[in-house]
């Protein structure tokens, strides 16, 4: 099958490439800077920008399935991230329809179980809606925190555990989600390329364990072999000040961390657990996901606290 991976140099896109190659697919990648891209041999690269629409026609030519893995969380002079994401999705949907694309697979985020979606998650859901009519077979996966060595959300939590002698956790520590192993996300995405039962569906890419964010931090701390006293502040919520402090400690951009932390203000619980069975994926436990991710991380760079 001829497959296009947009965001091919990103976290999930770059890890999806070898899996799809093993499955025997013919791959093309879409990236803003093909001259700087490091991808597997045999992957054709097309340069372009979905926000302007440049390169989309060439990238989609003769492609049967496309993965939409582009997100715009980083700061940019081109406007707010949600505006950029919507524009990229609209341009892609128009180009996909013109090219006669058969299937689009999108990895987005969950809707809150109660309350109003944060700007980050609202943008993900808006993109999902735009792409839902782009092709005869449109598939959306909704994932909360992906547990992997390259996941920005996971790395943020690890750095907090590693660098804070005392963990002061705001009220969002009580909210729950179902973090998913990176390996399981890749498996779900890859299998969706050839499974017609998932066409036209929005599916929860959920992990085996439902935990609060406080429990997730405790699990990470346990596998890092560190003892950190935790102080919970039930009245402390995400504010520009607390998110800036957290971003500084974790060594991340505030624009990214502040937006991600807003998404922790509600429960992000899966609607059902049918996707793993539907696609024949055996899910890893949360502990297995954390331990695997930390080992992979340490193979590249040391973790001072482990």
């Amino acid at each position: 099958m001829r497959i296009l991976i947009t965001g091919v140099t990103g976290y999930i896109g770059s890890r999806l490439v070898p899996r799809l190659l093993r499955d025997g697919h013919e791959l093309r990648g879409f990236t803003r800077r093909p001259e700087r891209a490091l991808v597997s041999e045999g992957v054709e690269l097309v340069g372009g920008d979905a926000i302007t629409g440049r390169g989309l026609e060439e990238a989609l030519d003769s492609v049967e399935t496309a993965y939409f893995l582009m997100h715009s969380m980083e700061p940019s002079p081109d406007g707010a991230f949600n505006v950029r994401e919507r524009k990229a999705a609209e341009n892609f949907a128009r180009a996909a329809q013109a090219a006669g694309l058969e299937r689009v697979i999108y990895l987005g985020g969950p809707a809150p179980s109660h309350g109003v979606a944060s700007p980050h998650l609202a943008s993900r859901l808006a993109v999902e809606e735009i792409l839902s009519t782009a092709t005869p077979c449109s598939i959306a996966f909704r994932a909360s925190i992906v547990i992997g060595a390259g996941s920005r959300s996971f790395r943020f939590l690890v750095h907090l555990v590693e660098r804070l002698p005392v963990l002061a956790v705001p009220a969002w520590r009580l909210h729950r989600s179902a973090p998913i192993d990176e390996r399981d996300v890749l498996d779900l995405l890859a299998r969706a390329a050839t499974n017609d039962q998932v066409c036209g569906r929005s599916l929860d890419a959920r992990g085996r364990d439902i935990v609060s964010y406080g429990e997730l931090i405790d699990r990470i701390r346990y596998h890092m072999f560190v003892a950190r006293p935790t102080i919970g502040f039930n009245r402390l919520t995400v504010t520009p000040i607390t998110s800036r402090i957290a971003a500084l400690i974790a060594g991340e951009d505030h624009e990214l961390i502040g937006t991600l932390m807003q998404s922790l203000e509600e429960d992000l619980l899966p609607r059902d657990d049918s996707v793993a069975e539907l696609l024949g994926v055996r899910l890893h436990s949360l502990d297995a996901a954390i331990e695997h991710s930390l080992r992979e991380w340490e193979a590249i760079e040391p973790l001072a606290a482990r």
Side-chain angles (χ1 to χ4, degrees):
M1 180 184 294
R2 292 183 299 277
I3 294 179
L4 171 68
I5 302 178
T6 68
V8 70
T9 59
Y11 166 47
I12 294 296
S14 62
R15 285 159 174 77
L16 186 60
V17 165
R19 167 57 195 271
L20 293 177
L21 287 175
R22 287 198 303 271
D23 289 347
H25 298 298
E26 180 182 339
L27 301 187
R28 178 182 295 161
F30 184 69
T31 177
R32 289 182 179 178
R33 297 182 177 88
E35 70 281 359
R36 299 184 184 179
L38 298 175
V39 296
S40 302
E41 185 178 351
V43 178
E44 177 191 359
L45 290 178
V46 173
D49 185 346
I51 296 175
T52 64
R54 178 177 60 87
L56 284 176
E57 181 179 354
E58 179 185 354
L60 287 162
D61 182 44
S62 302
V63 166
E64 299 163 78
T65 293
Y67 287 89
F68 191 94
L69 303 174
M70 297 179 290
H71 301 299
S72 302
M73 297 293 292
E74 303 296 344
S76 170
D78 298 328
F81 75 88
N82 56 336
V83 175
R84 301 196 307 271
E85 289 188 337
R86 186 179 186 90
K87 193 169 184 180
E90 290 172 341
N91 287 336
F92 181 88
R94 281 194 294 268
Q97 290 172 337
L101 183 69
E102 299 172 11
R103 180 179 307 223
V104 61
I105 303 169
Y106 171 58
L107 180 62
S113 305
H114 305 284
V116 179
S118 69
H120 162 227
L121 294 179
S123 182
R124 296 289 190 267
L125 295 170
V127 170
E128 177 185 313
E129 180 64 25
I130 292 168
L131 296 179
S132 67
T133 58
T135 64
C137 176
S138 296
I139 304 160
F141 288 101
R142 295 180 176 182
S144 56
I145 293 180
V146 175
I147 305 297
S151 166
R152 298 287 288 273
S153 299
F154 178 69
R155 293 179 69 88
F156 166 64
L157 295 176
V158 169
H159 281 315
L160 290 184
V161 171
E162 184 181 36
R163 297 172 182 177
L164 282 175
V166 176
L167 291 171
V169 188
W172 54 253
R173 78 187 191 283
L174 301 174
H175 297 135
R176 300 166 295 159
S177 70
I180 184 168
D181 191 310
E182 169 196 303
R183 294 168 293 181
D184 298 336
V185 170
L186 297 177
D187 209 2
L188 292 172
L189 289 170
R191 290 171 183 253
T194 55
N195 188 310
D196 292 336
Q197 295 182 72
V198 294
C199 287
R201 297 186 62 175
S202 171
L203 302 158
D204 290 312
R206 57 157 297 166
R208 272 174 46 183
D209 304 294
I210 292 178
V211 294
S212 69
Y213 297 112
E215 290 170 334
L216 176 57
I217 290 173
D218 285 340
R219 297 275 191 100
I220 293 172
R221 180 174 56 186
Y222 172 81
H223 288 283
M224 291 177 68
F225 303 104
V226 297
R228 294 283 191 266
T230 301
I231 302 175
F233 292 94
N234 292 339
R235 296 184 180 180
L236 178 62
T237 58
V238 176
T239 68
I241 295 176
T242 57
S243 60
R244 284 185 183 279
I245 293 173
L248 181 63
I249 292 169
E252 289 280 7
D253 293 325
H254 170 254
E255 288 82 357
L256 173 68
I257 295 303
T259 303
L260 290 177
M261 286 180 68
Q262 285 182 306
S263 302
L264 307 180
E265 291 291 288
E266 300 286 345
D267 284 340
L268 299 177
L269 300 176
R271 296 161 296 174
D272 61 65
D273 57 359
S274 63
V275 63
E277 181 179 355
L278 189 62
L279 291 172
V281 175
R282 184 179 178 183
L283 298 174
H284 293 83
S285 69
L286 178 57
D287 287 316
I290 294 172
E291 181 59 31
H292 176 269
S293 300
L294 291 175
R295 285 201 309 270
E296 183 180 313
W297 187 331
E298 285 185 305
I300 301 171
E301 59 183 287
L303 277 168
R306 185 166 150 94

